[in-house]
Every structure is written in structure tokens, then in C-alpha cells.
Amino acid sequence: MPTLPVAAMLQEEQDIFGRLPYDIIHEICQHLPAASITSLTQASRTVHLVTHHAEVFWVILLKNTMPWFFEIHQLMDSGDVQGNQCKGIFLWAEKTIQPETDAKGPLLNLINRRRIWEACKTLAGRYDDNLPT
């Protein structure tokens, strides 16, 4: 059985993400659900290093993948939510604010907004495809 440093070196050599620029890794993560991002950071040392303490990454991810979460966007723009809080907010929102959850109270508004936003996004894509150019 290889020692830990040798195993880590082998893993690093096999980490295909180590060959990609950071902006490509960020773009890939934009298209993944939170659970997949977490799994990817565990599977790839490069992705872990690129995303773990990268406040800008989590700010961009939160803004781009959760356009329906107006309240957080306003707090971010006003400076009440800092970049270092965005990772936790993103992971919490991705897990908690899902149409399949049985939430009640104020979260229900966010869940419905997200559900409607996603449906409209799908319809907008179909509508855009049919527009004359």
C-alpha cells in the first residue's frame, strides 16, 4: 500500500482538472447542482483548491445560478452579506429551497419563486428558439 505522500502525488497526476484554467473550472461548476460541486471538490484536489477559499467564485455562483433569490442579491449589493458567507448561503439554499421539499412558512415563497423561475426559463428558451432572426 503506497504511503500518503505517494498516493497524493498519484492522485494529483491523475487529476485532469489540474490541466484546465480556473475560469473553465468555474464555468463547469456553474452547471452543476451543489451536491455535485461538493462531490467534485472531494474527487479533485485542483477543484477543491480553486473553490474552497475563493470568495469570488461563490459570489458569482450564487448570483448566476440563483437569480430568483432577490433578497440575497440585495444583501450582497448593500454589503450586508460578505463574499466569505456566500458559500454557506449557496449550499444551504441549494439544499433547502427545492420544489420537492415540504417546507412551510417564509421558505414556501422562495420555493415557489424558484419553481416558477425555472419553468419560465425553460419556456423562454423555447420562445427564443422560435424568434425570427
Side-chain angles (χ1 to χ4, degrees), residues 16-107:
I16 190 119
F17 290 97
R19 299 180 192 154
L20 296 176
Y22 293 161
D23 55 334
I24 300 297
I25 294 171
H26 287 184
E27 184 65 29
I28 290 168
C29 290
Q30 299 262 342
H31 300 280
L32 297 175
S36 296
I37 294 172
T38 303
S39 296
L40 184 56
T41 61
Q42 292 171 352
S44 168
R45 178 173 168 77
T46 302
V47 175
H48 173 78
L49 293 173
V50 168
T51 62
H52 188 65
H53 293 295
E55 292 178 14
V56 172
F57 168 78
W58 293 102
V59 169
I60 292 170
L61 190 66
L62 188 59
K63 284 190 173 190
N64 289 348
T65 62
M66 297 182 177
W68 46 266
F69 207 166
F70 312 131
E71 296 83 356
I72 291 299
H73 293 244
Q74 290 171 351
L75 290 171
M76 289 167 65
D77 293 342
S78 70
D80 291 330
V81 169
Q82 303 299 315
N84 62 350
Q85 297 169 306
C86 290
K87 178 181 179 181
I89 293 169
F90 174 82
L91 294 172
W92 170 83
E94 187 66 23
K95 179 181 177 184
T96 308
I97 305 172
Q98 290 290 334
E100 300 84 27
T101 58
D102 294 329
K104 294 183 171 112
L107 286 181

Side-chain angles (χ1 to χ4, degrees), residues 96-128:
T96 308
I97 305 172
Q98 290 290 334
E100 300 84 27
T101 58
D102 294 329
K104 294 183 171 112
L107 286 181
L108 192 55
N109 294 334
L110 286 172
I111 291 168
N112 283 332
R113 187 187 311 156
R114 180 179 189 169
R115 181 180 49 80
I116 292 166
W117 192 281
E118 295 298 325
C120 290
K121 191 167 67 172
T122 302
L123 292 173
R126 290 180 186 168
Y127 180 76
D128 287 345

